[in-house]
Amino acid sequence: SYKSRRFYMFTRREPDDSGMRDVIHEKPTKDEIQSGAVAPQRRLARGAVIHTTMGDVHIKLFPDQCPRTVENFTVHSRNGYYNDTIIHRVIKSFMIQMGDPKGDGTGGTSIWGHDFEDEFDRDLRYDRPFIVSMVNAGSGTNGS
């Protein structure tokens, strides 16, 4: 189960002790999905435009490989979280860093209110210029 996706739902209800079904771990049936009893998975954006005073930056997003990172970025973007943030770090011919709400590189909070795990995919590499990535302070410290 290493690197497998997990879904956690918290409730104050106690599980049913009838012993008939393991509703905590079972997948929904086709009938439940078709009837709308199960919420359909939300589609995540595959691209974004970052508007700066120096022009627009068009970026490609990878929701299939990094769903939580893309969801965090797009929800924050839609909510205006990154509005009026500055490019706070520039290393000539190497990189720029932006999107920190404080503007000092210390980072912000994720849409879930806590850090989330890193997402890696062997098909996504830093093998050419103009690659966009999320910066963090170490393993499992993704915030804003």
Side-chain angles (χ1 to χ4, degrees):
S1 68
Y2 176 69
K3 288 192 176 183
S4 65
R5 293 180 187 223
R6 290 181 170 77
F7 173 79
Y8 298 97
M9 184 171 76
F10 299 96
T11 179
R12 293 178 192 256
R13 282 184 29 202
E14 292 296 319
D16 182 15
D17 288 335
S18 66
M20 298 181 75
R21 292 177 58 189
D22 183 6
V23 294
I24 294 173
H25 296 101
E26 72 183 25
K27 292 183 179 180
T29 65
K30 278 186 178 180
D31 292 335
E32 289 172 329
I33 294 170
Q34 289 173 349
S35 71
V38 178
Q41 187 175 8
R42 190 169 34 154
R43 292 188 61 204
L44 297 173
R46 297 194 173 275
V49 180
I50 300 171
H51 303 287
T52 74
T53 56
M54 299 297 289
D56 292 346
V57 179
H58 296 259
I59 63 172
K60 183 176 181 180
L61 303 174
F62 296 90
D64 297 329
Q65 293 89 345
C66 306
R68 290 184 59 107
T69 304
V70 170
E71 181 179 10
N72 188 63
F73 174 75
T74 56
V75 169
H76 269 330
S77 297
R78 288 184 188 123
N79 293 339
Y81 186 82
Y82 301 117
N83 290 358
D84 300 320
T85 59
I86 63 170
I87 294 174
H88 64 271
R89 186 174 184 199
V90 177
I91 301 175
K92 189 176 179 178
S93 300
F94 176 58
M95 63 156 250
I96 64 171
Q97 209 171 336
M98 62 183 158
D100 177 17
K102 295 178 185 173
D104 60 5
T106 57
T109 307
S110 75
I111 60 172
W112 301 284
H114 55 79
D115 293 345
F116 60 96
E117 291 301 314
D118 299 330
E119 294 176 305
F120 297 103
D121 188 283
R122 66 178 349 151
D123 294 331
L124 302 177
R125 301 175 189 269
Y126 295 95
D127 58 356
R128 61 188 180 278
F130 310 109
I131 303 296
V132 176
S133 183
M134 182 172 183
V135 178
N136 63 28
S139 181
T141 61
N142 296 302
S144 65

